[in-house]
Amino acid sequence: MTQPQPVETLEADDAELIRRSHDDPEQFAGLFDRYIQQIHRYVARRLGTQAADDIAAETFLTAFRRRASYDLTQRLARPWLYGIATTLMARHRRGEERFLRALSRTGVDPLPEPMADAVVGRVAAQEEDRRLAGALAGLSQGDRDVLLLVAWGDLTYEEVAWALGVPIGTVRSRLHRARKKARAALGGDDPTREVS
């Protein structure tokens, strides 16, 4: 029979790390370590790697500065961080639309992949990427944010609602509208479906 671990060796949830960071700011590094790659990847897919470096860093700086107002009943800070990143990306709206239109024309995804994956995957998906980028560029900012937080951020509807500060019904209607427009642009394919 195994003995339970002492409380101090168990991994703290996000809210606990934020609470601890009020007295010991170094505790916030745990939150950074948990989510920096996810946030960076999400922003890079939307705006490119160069912008992602700045926005991901700014996301955590903003979160650190606002940590005193964080709702500690929310044990998972991931939606909060995605919400901050999405707000920061809104400043880059024109850049994102230019990026998506360029991706639509060129089919070049900004994220590097291992060489073998890149060769096989890009040959098969290049045309699909162009069509998807064109479809994304044609969405309103609110619809695009909801669609990409679900599809690329892997957030639940509730998490998206919290991240964007909108009612869950708004999330559902924006996602429905975005999927419908994207599906039409992709010839009937749902861009958020699970692919095996």
Side-chain angles (χ1 to χ4, degrees):
M1 179 178 225
T2 58
Q3 295 292 324
Q5 293 182 334
V7 174
E8 53 272 9
T9 62
L10 295 175
E11 188 172 336
D13 65 28
D14 298 344
E16 179 61 20
L17 284 176
I18 293 169
R19 187 196 63 73
R20 289 179 191 172
S21 77
H22 295 166
D23 295 325
D24 180 9
E26 303 256 339
Q27 292 289 316
F28 198 81
L31 201 65
F32 178 88
D33 293 341
R34 285 181 188 170
Y35 297 112
I36 185 62
Q37 290 181 336
Q38 290 176 38
I39 297 295
H40 187 275
R41 184 170 179 83
Y42 175 70
V43 175
R45 290 195 74 179
R46 293 194 65 178
L47 299 177
T49 324
Q50 204 167 19
D53 293 343
D54 293 337
I55 291 175
E58 193 175 347
T59 296
F60 284 92
L61 180 59
T62 301
F64 181 78
R65 288 180 178 155
R66 294 183 187 166
R67 73 190 189 283
S69 64
Y70 182 79
D71 178 1
L72 295 174
T73 63
Q74 299 293 328
R75 308 316 288 172
L76 186 65
R78 189 168 153 253
W80 179 59
L81 294 169
Y82 274 99
I84 293 170
T86 300
T87 299
L88 293 171
M89 285 187 296
R91 295 180 189 164
H92 298 274
R93 188 174 302 174
R94 283 191 186 128
E96 179 182 35
E97 288 175 14
R98 280 192 308 270
F99 171 76
L100 288 170
R101 291 190 194 290
L103 180 58
S104 174
R105 286 189 308 274
T106 66
V108 177
D109 191 329
L111 294 179
E113 299 177 42
M115 186 58 94
D117 292 343
V119 172
V120 174
R122 289 193 190 270
V123 168
Q126 193 169 32
E127 184 58 32
E128 188 76 11
D129 287 348
R130 287 181 183 165
R131 290 175 41 220
L132 179 58
L136 291 173
L139 297 176
S140 72
Q141 187 65 37
D143 290 355
R144 187 180 319 129
D145 286 342
V146 169
L147 179 69
L148 297 180
L149 283 168
V150 169
W152 289 349
D154 201 28
L155 297 181
T156 66
Y157 293 5
E158 292 81 9
E159 290 171 333
V160 172
W162 184 42
L164 298 179
V166 297
I168 195 160
T170 301
V171 170
R172 291 180 193 282
S173 64
R174 286 180 182 176
L175 185 59
H176 175 76
R177 187 172 44 245
R179 281 180 169 157
K180 184 177 177 182
K181 288 179 181 178
R183 199 174 11 251
L186 295 173
D189 294 333
D190 184 352
T192 59
R193 76 181 185 288
E194 291 289 324
V195 179
S196 52

